[in-house]
Amino acid sequence: MGEPTEKKPAGAEHADRATHDGSGPGTEHTPRTPAGATRVAQSPAAAVRSRVREQRRTPRRPHLLFELALIGISYWLYSLVRNAVPEQAAIAQKHATWVWDLEHALGIAVERSINHGVNSVTWLIVGMNYYYATLHFIVTIGVLVWLYRSHPGRYAASRTVLFVTTGIALVGFYCFPLAPPRLMTGGGFVDTVTLHQTWGSLASGAGAHVSNQYAAMPSMHIGWSTWCGLTIFFLARRTWVRLLGLAYPVVTLSVIVSTANHFWLDAVGGLICLAVGFLAARLIYHTWAFRLPRTPGERVEPELTVPTQWDTRVDA
């Protein structure tokens, strides 16, 4: 007796040939997802663009030494440029008069009344002086560290927002030197740092010799604090922490006005810079910073097509 022969159903032989010569949907040539869907065929150029887009949407985990060096160098450049801008006292005083007159025309020139009112409460204004001098840096660095540790996938984009915001502010410092209210000639404001002999501003006391006194427009106290507040609000889990995030820029606004460090319009300038920073990060990463994956390992699902056997259309 001969060996038994295997009988194949009609059409099976044709399907086998199609699988081996690449003309059919064999698994050797067409990758499949677990659901049976096939990936879209891409040209080499399209594949490169897709890879770059995917890396932007799922940034790699940041490297600690690189980030520390980047922040250190950036802050050094920020301080160098900010303090190297010609002070131009006469022009800064002229700009302050313009801003003050504009606020009067808009009906929002209440900074002097707030400054004098809060200054009458010694413990409050002294606390605001120290708030102005310290939390601007402490909270910003704290949020950066929190992003690095808890949201590494969103860190690079969020940091980019902050860097772009600060870069635009440097242009403002150079192009529009502005005397803060407390240094405005004839403005009638109280320099609370000098009066109460506290340290709370690099533009008062000994700090005035090493810092540009007329880098007031835009306000980076508002730009940075609003960045911190929005980051905390969108990414924190506890409700009370999110509410603190929203309160932070509001309290900062009251501090910069009460201590006569900024006009209202300086704060508006800081918010405009921050908005441009968010838009710049949106263009770079193809999505908003807070919508990126929390961790770099989370990837966007590949584009899928429906397999031919799922197509229920009947040929005419």
Side-chain angles (χ1 to χ4, degrees), residues 83 87 182 191 193-194 197-213:
N83 298 330
E87 293 192 358
R182 70 172 184 282
D191 187 339
V193 173
T194 301
Q197 298 181 349
T198 61
W199 58 280
S201 173
L202 291 177
S204 295
H209 299 291
V210 296
S211 177
N212 178 14
Q213 300 183 67

Side-chain angles (χ1 to χ4, degrees), residues 100-120:
W100 191 230
D101 290 344
L102 176 59
E103 289 194 351
H104 274 286
L106 296 174
I108 59 173
V110 296
E111 293 95 325
R112 184 165 55 199
S113 298
I114 295 174
N115 173 236
H116 283 267
V118 178
N119 183 65
S120 63

Side-chain angles (χ1 to χ4, degrees), residues 49-306:
R49 289 194 300 269
S50 178
R51 183 176 180 84
V52 171
R53 183 166 56 251
E54 183 178 356
Q55 289 179 350
R56 287 177 175 175
R57 291 178 176 174
T58 56
R60 295 179 180 178
R61 182 176 295 274
H63 297 286
L64 179 59
L65 293 180
F66 173 80
E67 294 299 331
L68 290 176
L70 183 61
I71 293 174
I73 294 173
S74 299
Y75 182 73
W76 175 73
L77 289 175
Y78 168 76
S79 301
L80 183 66
V81 174
R82 181 181 186 273
N83 298 330
V85 173
E87 293 192 358
Q88 301 176 342
I91 297 178
Q93 292 291 343
K94 185 177 181 179
H95 288 167
T97 302
W98 289 354
V99 172
W100 191 230
D101 290 344
L102 176 59
E103 289 194 351
H104 274 286
L106 296 174
I108 59 173
V110 296
E111 293 95 325
R112 184 165 55 199
S113 298
I114 295 174
N115 173 236
H116 283 267
V118 178
N119 183 65
S120 63
V121 184
T122 303
W123 66 268
L124 180 58
I125 197 64
V126 169
M128 286 186 170
N129 285 341
Y130 291 127
Y131 179 108
Y132 184 88
T134 58
L135 292 190
H136 178 53
F137 300 102
I138 293 175
V139 175
T140 304
I141 293 174
V143 172
L144 282 170
V145 172
W146 173 62
L147 279 172
Y148 179 87
R149 292 175 58 87
S150 301
H151 299 268
R154 297 161 180 156
Y155 174 86
S158 300
R159 178 249 292 150
T160 300
V161 173
L162 188 63
F163 280 23
V164 172
T165 300
T166 306
I168 298 173
L170 291 177
V171 177
F173 298 156
Y174 186 89
C175 297
F176 195 80
L178 176 69
R182 70 172 184 282
L183 298 181
M184 181 181 174
T185 302
F189 291 89
V190 178
D191 187 339
T192 60
V193 173
T194 301
L195 178 65
H196 297 283
Q197 298 181 349
T198 61
W199 58 280
S201 173
L202 291 177
S204 295
H209 299 291
V210 296
S211 177
N212 178 14
Q213 300 183 67
Y214 302 123
M217 171 63 85
S219 169
M220 281 298 92
H221 272 76
I222 292 300
W224 288 13
S225 66
T226 305
W227 175 84
C228 292
L230 291 176
T231 302
I232 294 171
F233 175 76
F234 281 110
L235 301 183
R237 295 182 177 179
R238 294 180 175 86
T239 302
W240 67 270
V241 176
R242 299 177 68 190
L243 293 177
L244 282 179
L246 290 181
Y248 176 51
V250 176
V251 175
T252 300
L253 178 61
S254 67
V255 167
I256 67 173
V257 172
S258 300
T259 57
N261 279 287
H262 289 283
F263 295 102
W264 293 119
L265 292 182
D266 299 344
V268 174
L271 293 177
I272 292 174
C273 292
L274 180 63
V276 176
F278 273 110
L279 288 174
R282 173 68 173 81
L283 293 175
I284 294 173
Y285 292 94
H286 293 188
T287 188
W288 299 109
F290 303 140
R291 297 186 64 183
L292 287 163
R294 179 173 182 172
T295 59
E298 298 176 7
R299 295 183 176 274
V300 179
E301 289 296 328
E303 186 180 2
L304 302 176
T305 59
V306 178

